Amino acid sequence: DGNCCYDGDLCLGSFYYGGKIFYLDGNGGGLIAAESAITDTVKWGCLGQEITGADATGVGSGYQNTLDILSECTTVGIAADICNNLTLNGFNDWFLPSIDELTEINNSLFAMSYSGSFWSSSEIDSAYSFKQNIPSGMIWNTSKFQANKVIPIRSFLIGCTDPLAINYNASAGCDDGSCSYACTAAPYSENFEAGMGTWTTANTGTGSYPGWY
């Protein structure tokens, strides 16, 4: 359907899986940003309330941060809520990036398509969270009450998606053609019946032969 991605084709800035790749982890996974930011400025939300667990900053932490924010801050229309409820290019699993994920976006080859200050999902305390300016890269501790832009992101992982394969990866969302299968055969004996001119076979059991594909 045009959305699937294969290891030999993965590169930063390529359009895959609903947006543009801005980070690759070297193991068939990565992160994708929406091609266009949400330009309507929104608040981070829940000023005066410290959200448990939403203080992670590293690459790969934005998804959990977003879940943590939404579990304790139910205000409609805040940055995390906007991303969580977004459906774009057929995908509805977008989230608010962590501050390090925003930095990866800013360092990517296509950051020129964004301009302004953007919320991260990384909270500092009950009053402040991190935001970053693109393209300058400057990071600020900012009041949650302030309104900023949002770049929704999502993750992807390629691998074998066939549950019948011996290398099935339940976490993979896109098949890369690497599936391999065990071959099950039934050993048999052969006997030539004198005078009949035909061979007959009889099953003698079953055997499993992993690695045949």
Side-chain angles (χ1 to χ4, degrees):
D1 61 0
N3 289 320
C4 283
C5 38
Y6 299 93
D7 200 31
D9 299 326
L10 296 179
C11 56
L12 297 177
S14 294
F15 185 86
Y16 279 121
Y17 234 180
K20 284 192 173 182
I21 298 173
F22 70 89
Y23 175 80
L24 294 169
D25 66 8
N27 295 307
L31 295 169
I32 292 167
E35 287 189 283
S36 299
I38 296 175
T39 55
D40 292 338
T41 56
V42 297
K43 299 173 183 178
W44 199 93
C46 288
L47 178 66
Q49 177 183 351
E50 187 166 355
I51 306 299
T52 305
D55 58 349
T57 59
V59 173
S61 63
Y63 176 71
Q64 187 60 51
N65 280 350
T66 301
L67 294 182
D68 291 336
I69 294 167
L70 295 176
S71 69
E72 296 185 21
C73 185
T74 58
T75 305
V76 175
I78 60 173
D81 180 64
I82 292 292
C83 294
N84 184 66
N85 286 298
L86 177 67
T87 297
L88 179 66
N89 294 327
F91 297 96
N92 61 2
D93 55 354
W94 302 89
F95 54 92
L96 186 64
S98 69
I99 190 61
D100 286 357
E101 289 166 345
L102 273 180
T103 298
E104 291 291 336
I105 292 174
N106 190 58
N107 293 339
S108 69
L109 300 176
F110 63 98
M112 64 187 68
S113 62
Y114 308 114
S115 179
S117 293
F118 298 90
W119 275 126
S120 80
S121 59
S122 303
E123 182 187 55
I124 299 171
D125 55 30
S126 63
Y128 295 92
S129 294
F130 287 113
K131 75 173 182 180
Q132 183 168 106
N133 180 271
I134 296 176
S136 76
M138 293 191 66
I139 296 172
W140 289 279
N141 303 348
T142 303
S143 170
K144 295 178 180 180
F145 188 76
Q146 188 181 99
N148 292 289
K149 299 178 183 179
V150 171
I151 302 174
I153 70 171
R154 63 184 306 274
S155 62
F156 72 93
L157 177 66
I158 63 172
C160 175
T161 60
D162 186 350
L164 299 178
I166 59 176
N167 61 331
Y168 168 60
N169 187 340
S171 298
C174 194
D175 198 281
D176 63 355
S178 67
C179 294
S180 58
Y181 301 87
C183 180
T184 301
Y188 60 89
S189 61
E190 295 181 326
N191 179 51
F192 185 76
E193 296 186 16
M196 299 295 293
T198 59
W199 287 94
T200 59
T201 63
N203 286 340
T204 59
T206 59
S208 179
Y209 301 89
W212 289 13
Y213 57 92

